[in-house]
Amino acid sequence: METNVRKQYNQMAALYDRVWSRYVAKTLAFLKDWAQLSPTSTVLDVACGTGTFERLVLREHPTQSIVGIDLSEKMLDIAQQKCRAFPNVSFQKASVAALPFADRNFDVIVSASALHYFDDPIAALIEMKRVLKPDGELVILDWCKDDWLCRLYDFALKRFDPAYRQCYTQVEFHSFLGAAGFQIRRATRVRLTLAWELMVATAKPIALGDRSYEG
Ligand SMILES: C[S@@+](CC[C@H](N)C(=O)[O-])C[C@H]1O[C@@H](n2cnc3c(N)ncnc32)[C@H](O)[C@@H]1O
């Protein structure tokens, strides 16, 4: 599946920002407001695409330390171009399935509009937890299958888009976070465009011996 995703995004990279400009601008502005990043935190953006989230954050905090990873080298080339003026941002080609970072490395991990591509969402969340500091925060935003229009897209995309895997209901999403060892701190569903309802959650790794988690 990752080969299909990489191929598809390499093919559409040059057009991505134009074709998806409204969706990307709205979702990532929402994500930035939701995440409330401290300017001193080290951030990993999983499936960063063309680096729009990085540029939004860096315009406000030019020295923020951010790493973006993505499967598509062509998307990453654009991200690199967009953010070349900023000193503490870097981009690497990698899969969420095997993040090329040491354990307990980042204060915050964000990921926008990508969970529906991951081959194994629970394994992806466990891998993100590995590189997140024990007191760090994970912020995931993705399509929400509780919405009938999303269900319709999901039905069609599964049949016609070889890169697409599936989107999830909020209950499924929250159960993945629990199964991966996260405790949800804040979560909501939101409609930012006519077409897609989204869900977002901020979660923290559950400390060993912490009994406060409720599945
Ligand atoms: C819809 S785009 C979202 C990009 C960006 N987060 C945004 O909001 O504009 C999905 C991105 O996920 C990336 N992606 C999908 N599966 C991935 C994986 N397993 N590991 C890393 N990146 C992945 C794709 O290459 C693509 O750039």
Side-chain angles (χ1 to χ4, degrees):
M1 198 62 109
E2 287 194 354
T3 313
N4 291 338
V5 174
R6 185 172 153 259
K7 200 169 144 201
Q8 184 176 93
Y9 277 93
N10 274 345
Q11 280 167 356
M12 79 157 81
L15 291 175
Y16 180 83
D17 283 347
R18 246 179 297 160
V19 172
W20 292 100
S21 62
R22 264 173 68 83
Y23 172 84
V24 169
K26 287 194 175 189
T27 52
L28 296 182
F30 172 84
L31 181 67
K32 186 172 92 45
D33 286 349
W34 175 274
Q36 292 289 308
L37 296 175
S38 151
T40 56
S41 58
T42 54
V43 182
L44 171 66
D45 182 2
V46 169
C48 64
T50 56
T52 303
F53 182 72
E54 284 64 30
R55 192 172 58 182
L56 268 181
V57 171
L58 291 164
R59 277 184 178 157
E60 223 164 84
H61 302 299
T63 58
Q64 183 98 40
S65 170
I66 316 189
V67 181
I69 69 103
D70 201 282
L71 283 178
S72 159
E73 57 272 22
K74 298 263 193 270
M75 296 288 271
L76 291 168
D77 285 347
I78 294 169
Q80 201 98 48
Q81 279 296 314
K82 256 188 208 166
C83 298
R84 64 182 183 279
F86 300 98
N88 299 328
V89 61
S90 62
F91 296 97
Q92 287 188 46
K93 184 178 162 187
S95 164
V96 69
L99 295 169
F101 307 107
D103 297 357
R104 302 169 169 217
N105 209 36
F106 296 97
D107 297 308
V108 182
I109 299 180
V110 299
S111 184
S113 304
L115 188 72
H116 57 270
Y117 287 114
F118 298 163
D119 287 340
D120 182 341
I122 297 177
L125 293 168
I126 291 172
E127 180 62 355
M128 289 190 240
K129 185 171 172 238
R130 181 185 67 75
V131 301
L132 188 62
K133 290 181 184 170
D135 60 346
E137 269 188 355
L138 174 73
V139 184
I140 305 271
L141 173 83
D142 200 29
W143 303 351
C144 180
K145 203 180 165 184
D146 291 294
D147 177 51
W148 68 269
L149 208 51
C150 274
R151 281 202 293 279
L152 202 65
Y153 281 122
D154 183 70
F155 180 83
L157 289 171
K158 270 185 196 149
R159 277 147 193 84
F160 301 116
D161 179 348
Y164 180 82
R165 190 161 183 88
Q166 64 169 308
C167 64
Y168 304 98
T169 64
Q170 192 183 35
V171 167
E172 287 170 327
F173 172 43
H174 289 188
S175 77
F176 294 162
L177 284 165
F182 285 97
Q183 182 175 37
I184 295 164
R185 293 297 170 98
R186 291 167 69 212
T188 194
R189 284 163 53 183
V190 62
R191 187 179 288 284
L192 301 173
T193 65
L194 271 185
W196 273 278
E197 186 175 72
L198 299 160
M199 55 191 174
V200 63
T202 296
K204 284 194 164 272
I206 298 168
L208 281 178
D210 182 350
R211 289 165 189 272
S212 62
Y213 168 66
E214 288 163 26

